[in-house]
């Protein structure tokens, strides 16, 4: 009943009055607004005056040289634009719901995670949605989704506060591992303190690669290590770990297959492994799918988000080979 009352109050004439008011604000005057709307300036003036009478408040201050909004006018304009945007979004979503997903979908993917867990899914998605064209860029660079025109991105770690809309895909858990051959030769650490004297394989993009952080309940331990390899390439680290060259701290999704196949073994399973490598922000470290916060989400974007969420739940890196 409330909706019907609003629709009755806001007749076609009422919508025309609001449109005239916003056009005058956007163009800076009645004459330029009249040119944009292809109406006579006197018609627009009458419509704005009628709107002010209906609302019982002055919306515009008029002089011979310019037109400026009153405080009430600014507030009304903000709410009116928001309402019109929501209405337009509702129409687009309703129309898009019955349409086949199509168009170009631009993706920003972390290099290693994207290569391992997203790239294999793309052929199936393209088969299911042949009218979608994908532009996928694999990089660990922190992209500006809006400024660079991306529809979706996957981000790993703690999300900073932002206007992006995030969908959690899974946990980001780090652990310590090593090859069975390395542990047989050097011994299996039982506590973080036992890591002293061990060789470490270090990821150069961590803020402090040599410092490994551990927690168990209220216990907090920091251990400083060194080793034969420091690199910014995670594949190099995994290959070196499998070859028995040292201990490795990395994400579970990166070495899930090696753990399942026995090529790597988890070390210190009772301890949580922290990270100093994040980009800031709070909350739980996780794998998120993020998109710009525009209210309307195209069918191509929804389809891909649903596909990825379905294929990564449960996490494929935890499944047996």
């Amino acid at each position: 009943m409330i909706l019907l009352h609003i629709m009755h109050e806001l007749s076609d004439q009422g919508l025309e009055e609001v449109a005239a008011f916003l056009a005058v604000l956007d163009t800076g005057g009645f004459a330029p607004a009249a040119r944009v709307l292809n109406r006579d300036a006197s018609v627009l003036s009458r419509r704005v005056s009628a709107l002010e009478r209906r609302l019982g408040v002055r919306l515009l201050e008029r002089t011979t040289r310019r037109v400026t909004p009153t405080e009430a006018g600014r507030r009304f304009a903000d709410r009116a634009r928001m309402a019109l945007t929501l209405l337009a979004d509702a129409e687009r979503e309703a129309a898009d719901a019955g349409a086949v997903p199509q168009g170009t979908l631009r993706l920003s993917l972390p290099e290693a995670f994207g290569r391992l867990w997203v790239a294999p899914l793309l052929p199936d998605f393209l088969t299911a949605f042949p009218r979608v064209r994908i532009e996928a860029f694999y990089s660990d660079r922190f992209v500006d989704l809006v400024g660079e025109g991306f529809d979706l991105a996957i981000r790993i770690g703690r999300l900073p506060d932002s206007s992006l809309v995030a969908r959690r895909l899974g946990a980001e858990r780090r652990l310590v591992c090593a090859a069975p051959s390395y542990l047989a030769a050097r011994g299996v650490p039982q506590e973080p303190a036992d890591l002293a004297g061990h060789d470490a394989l270090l990821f150069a993009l961590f803020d402090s690669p040599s410092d490994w952080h551990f927690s168990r309940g209220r216990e907090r331990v920091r251990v400083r290590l060194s080793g034969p390899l420091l690199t910014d390439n995670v594949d190099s680290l995994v290959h070196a770990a499998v070859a028995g060259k040292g201990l490795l701290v990395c994400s579970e999704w990166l070495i899930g297959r090696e753990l399942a196949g026995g090529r790597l073994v988890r070390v210190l399973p009772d301890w949580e492994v922290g990270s100093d490598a994040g980009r800031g922000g709070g909350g739980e470290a996780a794998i998120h799918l993020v998109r710009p916060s525009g209210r309307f989400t195209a069918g191509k974007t929804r389809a891909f988000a649903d596909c990825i969420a379905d294929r990564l739940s449960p996490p494929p890196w935890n499944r047996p080979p």
Side-chain angles (χ1 to χ4, degrees):
M1 292 298 292
I2 294 176
L3 179 59
L4 291 176
H5 176 72
I6 293 173
M7 293 175 66
H8 175 73
E9 290 292 322
L10 195 59
S11 61
D12 289 344
Q13 181 63 33
L15 288 172
E16 290 177 355
E17 293 168 359
V18 173
F21 168 66
L22 293 178
V24 170
L25 278 189
D26 291 342
T27 61
F30 286 94
R35 288 192 293 270
V36 170
L37 297 180
N38 196 26
R39 294 287 188 274
D40 190 88
S42 62
V43 173
L44 299 187
S45 179
R46 288 195 296 272
R47 287 177 178 174
V48 173
S49 295
L51 177 61
E52 291 177 323
R53 286 195 299 273
R54 183 160 57 85
L55 298 178
V57 63
R58 181 176 291 278
L59 300 175
L60 295 175
E61 296 289 355
R62 302 164 175 84
T63 70
T64 57
R65 302 187 63 179
R66 65 177 184 172
V67 175
T68 58
T70 64
E71 180 62 30
R74 281 191 291 270
R75 290 198 301 268
F76 180 78
D78 290 342
R79 294 296 183 89
R81 289 191 179 98
M82 185 182 302
L84 292 173
T85 299
L86 288 172
L87 180 59
D89 285 347
E91 290 183 351
R92 286 196 296 267
E93 287 189 11
D96 194 63
V100 176
Q102 58 184 307
T104 299
L105 181 67
R106 283 175 56 83
L107 305 175
S108 173
L109 305 170
E111 197 282 326
F113 184 90
R115 173 178 50 79
L116 285 172
W117 304 112
V118 181
L121 310 183
L122 298 185
D124 288 344
F125 180 83
L126 292 172
T127 298
F129 301 99
R131 298 179 67 179
V132 175
R133 175 178 180 269
I134 290 178
E135 294 181 357
F137 297 87
Y138 297 79
S139 171
D140 293 324
R141 181 175 63 88
F142 202 64
V143 302
D144 175 1
L145 266 67
V146 176
E148 300 180 46
F150 285 103
D151 299 295
L152 285 170
I154 289 179
R155 290 189 173 163
I156 300 174
R158 290 178 173 83
L159 286 180
D161 293 334
S162 72
S163 61
L164 299 178
V165 176
R167 179 173 181 175
R168 189 181 185 278
L169 297 177
E172 159 67 349
R173 189 170 62 145
R174 297 199 168 173
L175 45 81
V176 183
C177 62
S181 60
Y182 176 88
L183 297 175
R186 303 289 294 273
V188 180
Q190 302 298 317
E191 300 288 338
D194 298 339
L195 296 175
H198 275 271
D199 290 331
L201 305 170
L202 306 175
F203 187 46
L205 296 185
F206 284 176
D207 289 341
S208 182
S210 298
D211 292 331
W212 292 7
H213 301 260
F214 298 87
S215 64
R216 184 174 63 184
R218 295 185 177 181
E219 293 182 79
R220 300 289 185 272
V221 179
R222 179 174 67 91
V223 181
R224 174 158 290 187
L225 296 97
S226 62
L229 179 61
L230 170 71
T231 179
D232 63 354
N233 181 271
V234 292
D235 290 331
S236 296
L237 292 172
V238 174
H239 290 316
V242 170
K245 298 305 179 182
L247 297 165
L248 174 63
V249 165
C250 66
S251 298
E252 187 175 21
W253 57 260
L254 181 62
I255 54 168
R257 291 170 173 169
E258 285 73 17
L259 291 172
R263 296 186 297 278
L264 291 176
V265 177
R266 187 178 178 186
V267 177
L268 301 175
D270 296 333
W271 291 82
E272 292 186 9
V273 184
S275 169
D276 60 351
R279 297 181 183 270
E284 176 196 17
I287 303 165
H288 288 97
L289 190 67
V290 298
R291 61 176 175 82
S293 60
R295 293 181 179 88
F296 172 67
T297 304
K300 61 183 180 181
T301 306
R302 288 197 307 272
F304 189 82
D306 291 342
C307 173
I308 289 295
D310 179 66
R311 297 290 289 270
L312 297 185
S313 180
W317 46 89
N318 288 337
R319 298 172 194 166

